[in-house]
Amino acid sequence: MKREEFKVNGEELVSKVKSLINEGNIRKIIIKNKDGKTIIELPLTIGAIGAVLAPSLAAVGAVAALLTECTVTIERAEQA
């Protein structure tokens, strides 16, 4: 698995997560606070769309309201 990290503020968090999900090759999204503590971990399965992701995005929105600054770590599937 390939890992990438992005620093975002709370206001940008939901839109960043949505754009990452739309890329399609993301296996897991981990959101950490500015101290590096994991706040939420979202495992994504192949083909997870729409209604399946709605509760996860609602949770991300709730987290975003509490954080001023965070790190989003993603795990991408390796390209064959």
Side-chain angles (χ1 to χ4, degrees):
M1 294 273 172
K2 181 180 172 188
R3 283 187 169 223
E4 295 177 36
E5 287 191 352
F6 305 92
K7 296 228 184 257
V8 297
N9 65 39
E11 297 169 358
E12 300 169 329
L13 182 59
V14 174
S15 63
K16 183 64 174 178
V17 169
K18 282 182 182 179
S19 71
L20 289 168
I21 290 170
N22 287 334
E23 289 181 22
N25 64 344
I26 307 295
R27 294 289 171 251
K28 185 185 288 186
I29 297 175
I30 304 164
I31 299 170
K32 298 179 182 179
N33 66 11
K34 64 182 177 181
D35 298 323
K37 181 180 177 191
T38 299
I39 303 299
I40 189 168
E41 213 170 299
L42 304 171
L44 302 177
T45 58
I46 296 171
I49 57 169
V52 175
L53 292 176
S56 297
L57 290 175
V60 170
V63 167
L66 300 173
L67 299 176
T68 55
E69 168 184 325
C70 58
T71 302
V72 177
T73 303
I74 60 168
E75 290 182 2
R76 293 186 186 272
E78 292 293 329
Q79 298 295 328

